Amino acid sequence: MAETYVPGPEPDWEEAPSYQGGKRNPAFQQSMWEFAANSFRVVAGLQPPLKTLAARLRLTLERGWEDLGCVDIAMFRIGDTDFALSELEVAPVRYTVVFVRRSVEDVEAALDTLLGALGIGREALAFRGSVETGFDNCNGWPR
C-alpha cells in the first residue's frame, strides 16, 4: 500500500491554539478544558491553592489553556454532582475557581458537599457567585 503524502503547514498559517485575527489557518484548536468548560459554570473561589485541594482528594491535575493562558484543572464527581477546580497560572490573584455542571440546581448544597469532602468550611471561600449574578467577596484576600 502506498503512503499518502501530507504537506506541511502553509507558511502564512498561525499556530492553531493562538488568536488568529486573519484566520488563515482553517483549524482553531481548543484545549480539552475550554471544550469541557461550556458544560460548567463558576460558582465560587477558594483560598487554598489547587494543588493542596487536589492532594486532599487525590485528584490528578491536568494542564490546559484558555484565552488568558495556562490553567491547571481537576474535573471530578462527588455523588451525582460534577465539579471542576481550576487555577490560572498568570492570574493576578491566585484563587482556586470552583465550577459545577450547569444542570446543578442547588449550588449551596453542591458547595457544602465539596467543602465537606475537602474538610474545610465556608471560611475558605474567597468569593461566591456567577457571571450571571455577579461575585461577592467572602473571606478572600490576595495570596
Side-chain angles (χ1 to χ4, degrees):
M1 180 179 245
E3 224 177 286
T4 303
Y5 170 75
V6 178
E10 299 298 321
D12 63 341
W13 283 2
E14 301 90 343
E15 293 292 320
S18 64
Y19 173 75
Q20 301 172 19
K23 193 66 174 117
R24 293 177 291 266
N25 185 341
F28 179 73
Q29 184 177 2
Q30 291 184 293
S31 73
M32 289 184 288
W33 169 239
E34 283 180 305
F35 186 78
N38 291 326
S39 300
F40 289 87
R41 61 183 161 140
V42 175
V43 295
L46 295 171
Q47 295 174 32
L50 176 58
K51 285 183 180 182
T52 303
L53 299 171
R56 161 74 177 171
L57 297 177
R58 295 183 180 244
L59 299 170
T60 299
L61 295 180
E62 298 178 75
R63 179 148 274 220
W65 69 87
E66 54 185 45
D67 290 345
L68 300 174
C70 291
V71 61
D72 291 320
I73 308 108
M75 291 183 280
F76 56 99
R77 177 176 288 166
I78 299 175
D80 61 354
T81 304
D82 293 314
F83 293 94
L85 300 177
S86 77
E87 187 175 84
L88 191 61
E89 183 177 72
V90 297
V93 178
R94 304 268 311 257
Y95 294 131
T96 298
V97 181
V98 178
F99 296 80
V100 295
R101 188 163 298 279
R102 290 191 181 278
S103 60
V104 170
E105 292 181 19
D106 191 346
V107 171
E108 295 304 314
L111 275 174
D112 287 339
T113 297
L114 176 64
L115 294 173
L118 290 170
I120 56 179
R122 289 199 173 243
E123 69 278 356
L125 289 171
F127 64 86
R128 290 187 49 237
S130 68
V131 172
E132 296 83 11
T133 63
F135 296 100
D136 295 319
N137 188 354
C138 295
N139 307 303
W141 67 82
R143 59 167 211 238

